[in-house]
Every structure is written in structure tokens, then in C-alpha cells.
Amino acid sequence: MNAILKFEPIFKSVIWGGQRIARFKGIAPQGDHVGESWELSPMEGNESVVAEGPFKGIGLNSLIADHGDEIMGAWLMKACGGRFPLLIKFIDSTDDLSVQVHPDDDLAARRHNGSLGKTEMWYSILPAEGAYLYAGFSRRLDADSFRSAVADNSIIDSLRRHDTRQGDVFFLPAGRIHSIGRGNFVLEIQEASDITYRIYDYDRRDAQGNPRQLHIEESVGAIDFNDIADDCETPRILPVAGRTQCLQSCPYFTTEVTGIASKTTLDLSGRDSFTIAIATEGHLTLTPAGGETVELPQGCTALIPASVQEVEIDGNGSLVTVHVQ
């Protein structure tokens, strides 16, 4: 396979969402409360579909079933049991998201019928003035003091708050308590899992006046109560023209950002993995060796199959890439 694949985004309307995702992408409004755009997803019921080219209309999982070694790489295809391992999103928060935690792979598999856990990262793209979020604890709690802090609505006081800047990188291993605060616009890279234990939701109500479901006891078994270390702090990594910088590397994904100011070549010959390419600024073109050029405007995501050995990148902007190693 020598085609770079683009997929139709899946827009999610939520009570805390806004309108910035469509503006960022330069497309027509998708609603007043769009909080997420699922850019590349293998999730059941939310499977990404190819947007253009010879595979137009085909779902990601069907492509993997028919061309798994070419797209994923033979070793990764075997290691992941034929499942695409990542989920890519843009998130726009005009209000605070719930305080939550995600289980690790072992706990998720035991509790949720073999599901993956959810380690993730956020890359801050366009934070509004005053944007903030929470990641990790600011003081040591045990299970009982945690339950008490949730019950008396003081749990926020026990979380580590971060004022968000453009270029901030937040790594969220499974078990780290967290919440995206209002005013954030982030790129999220995560394991392909949609398991969330909601801990606190500011007593918000749904359209019928009912409080949103919480998962306090489930979260107790998932939280790392020792997670008050300095690695909750974040580096700030802004794109630099002609330079590739690592945002995060962990067993689940490696993410890099490159500033593009002139024609450059992305050498993938030593990588037996797909590469996900996301334009976070400007307008780029991607041309695989011997293949067709693909336009990648700001806010657009593409999947480069493992079988592609080299890609020529042209244009002016910033490119985030994700692969598994």
C-alpha cells in the first residue's frame, strides 16, 4: 500500500463543548457545543471512515483486516492482536470537564471484557486566556480521605492545577487523576479505549435534570494515590522550523512535533509502524515516494501506512507525528 489515508472526522457534541474546532479546521460550523473531533478512531460505533482516494468509504478496521501488515507493520499487527491501538482527538473545552481517571491495561481487561486501558497525553494548541487544567494530586490522599473529599465537594482542592500555555505537554499515565479546565484547546493522543471513571462533575445536570453518573468506587481501584511527583509538571515545546522535537515517548506511543518551513523528507525506512500525521498549524502537503500527494491543512489528520518508506513534506506550518515503537 502506497497511499496516505485521510479520514472523516467524527464530531462529538457535549455540554462543555464550543465552536472552535470547526474554526480551527476552517470548515463550516458543526454545532454550538462540539467538544471533540475524533480524528482517527477504531472504536466500535465510532469507527473512522476514509474520506477520499481509492479506499474512500472504507472503515479503519476493515482496512486493517484486509491490509494489516501493510498499514500497521507486521510486528505491531501481531503485538496488538490485529487491533489499531490508538485514538486521536481534538478537544475544545468552553467549560470544565469532569474530574476523572482511567484504568490501566490490566484493570481494564479484567473489568471491561479485554479492553485496553487508557494512557494519554495532551498537547496544548490554542489555550484561551486564563485556561487551566488539573493533573495529579497536590497532596497525599488515601482511599478514605479521597472518598471524603469527593463527598464534601473539596476534591478540586487536592488536585495539582496547571495554568495552560501554548505548547505545553501533559502526560497522563493510566491511574493519574485529571481534568481539563475551561478555555483549553488540545490535541489528545491516547490508547484506543473509551473507559472513563467520572469522579466529580460540579453537580451538573442533564437535560432531564438528573446528575451525571459518577464512578467513585471504580475509581478507587484505578487511581495511583502516590501520584504527587514532579513529573506531573509539564514541559513547553513550541514548533521550531526545520527541527523535530519529541513531545512524549512511552510504551504506547511516541509523539514528535516538527516545524515545516521548506520542503523536507520524512524517512520512515527504519520504522515498522504506521505514522499518524496531524497538521497543527499552516497548510502542508504529503507525498509518499511514488504515490499521490495529499493535502494536509490545519486541523487535518492523515495515516501513513507502515509500508510507506519515505514522505516528502512541503508547505509552511507545524506537523505532529505519532507512531508506536
Side-chain angles (χ1 to χ4, degrees):
M1 179 179 290
N2 199 34
I4 295 176
L5 306 168
K6 291 170 63 177
F7 294 81
E8 298 285 356
I10 302 168
F11 298 105
K12 298 286 186 176
S13 293
V14 289
I15 58 176
W16 44 261
Q19 301 178 346
R20 290 201 293 169
I21 289 176
R23 291 200 297 268
F24 180 72
K25 286 175 167 287
I27 61 175
Q30 301 296 310
D32 292 334
H33 299 285
V34 175
E36 299 182 346
S37 172
W38 289 25
E39 296 289 297
L40 188 58
S41 165
M43 305 303 294
E44 183 178 357
N46 290 284
E47 180 184 353
S48 293
V49 173
V50 178
E52 60 185 49
F55 298 99
K56 181 177 180 179
I58 299 177
L60 175 60
N61 295 330
S62 295
L63 281 175
I64 299 298
D66 292 339
H67 306 279
D69 286 358
E70 294 174 88
I71 293 174
M72 298 254 296
W75 79 271
L76 187 58
M77 186 70 176
K78 182 177 180 180
C80 294
R83 297 190 297 182
F84 194 79
L86 298 180
L87 173 58
I88 310 296
K89 303 176 183 177
F90 286 112
I91 297 177
D92 172 26
S93 62
T94 60
D95 200 355
D96 298 324
L97 276 67
S98 60
V99 176
Q100 53 191 240
V101 72
H102 309 296
D104 62 18
D105 288 349
D106 180 64
L107 184 60
R110 288 189 282 111
R111 286 184 176 177
H112 303 279
N113 195 31
S115 173
L116 294 176
K118 190 174 175 182
T119 286
E120 60 189 347
M121 65 160 283
W122 301 322
Y123 186 45
S124 178
I125 296 175
L126 291 172
E129 184 176 355
Y132 60 89
L133 53 78
Y134 300 97
F137 288 107
S138 61
R139 63 186 182 94
R140 193 171 299 279
L141 298 179
D142 59 19
D144 287 338
S145 57
F146 165 77
R147 292 186 183 97
S148 296
V150 173
D152 67 15
N153 297 320
S154 66
I155 186 62
I156 293 294
D157 299 333
S158 300
L159 305 184
R160 187 182 293 263
R161 174 174 165 144
H162 306 264
D163 294 322
T164 320
R165 307 163 299 174
Q166 184 179 17
D168 280 348
V169 181
F170 296 90
F171 181 55
L172 302 159
R176 175 166 290 172
I177 191 169
H178 60 272
S179 173
I180 296 179
R182 67 186 64 191
N184 285 284
F185 190 102
V186 303
L187 171 64
E188 180 175 273
I189 292 95
Q190 60 162 91
E191 288 183 83
S193 170
D194 202 27
I195 300 172
T196 295
Y197 298 150
R198 189 180 296 121
I199 296 166
Y200 179 70
D201 197 41
Y202 306 94
D203 197 32
R204 282 188 288 220
R205 306 287 167 141
D206 62 21
Q208 287 72 45
N210 300 312
R212 299 175 82 197
Q213 183 181 5
L214 302 180
H215 312 92
I216 308 305
E217 290 309 311
E218 294 93 332
S219 68
V220 167
I223 289 174
D224 178 1
F225 286 105
N226 295 314
D227 190 18
I228 56 174
D230 289 341
D231 65 357
C232 292
E233 297 296 337
T234 174
R236 187 186 191 195
I237 303 176
L238 294 169
V240 177
R243 181 180 173 191
T244 296
Q245 302 173 83
C246 182
L247 300 177
Q248 180 63 50
S249 186
C250 70
Y252 303 104
F253 49 77
T254 293
T255 306
E256 299 172 318
V257 63
T258 304
I260 308 296
S262 60
K263 189 174 293 186
T264 187
T265 298
L266 182 62
D267 182 4
L268 304 173
S269 59
R271 183 180 298 176
D272 190 19
S273 163
F274 60 81
T275 299
I276 301 167
I278 308 121
T280 55
E281 186 179 7
H283 190 114
L284 306 173
T285 62
L286 306 182
T287 307
E292 296 293 324
T293 296
V294 167
E295 301 285 334
L296 203 68
Q298 177 175 287
C300 188
T301 300
L303 177 62
I304 304 171
S307 56
V308 173
Q309 300 292 294
E310 185 178 284
V311 176
E312 184 179 86
I313 306 172
D314 201 2
N316 196 303
S318 301
L319 184 71
V320 171
T321 58
V322 187
H323 68 279
V324 181
Q325 63 181 16

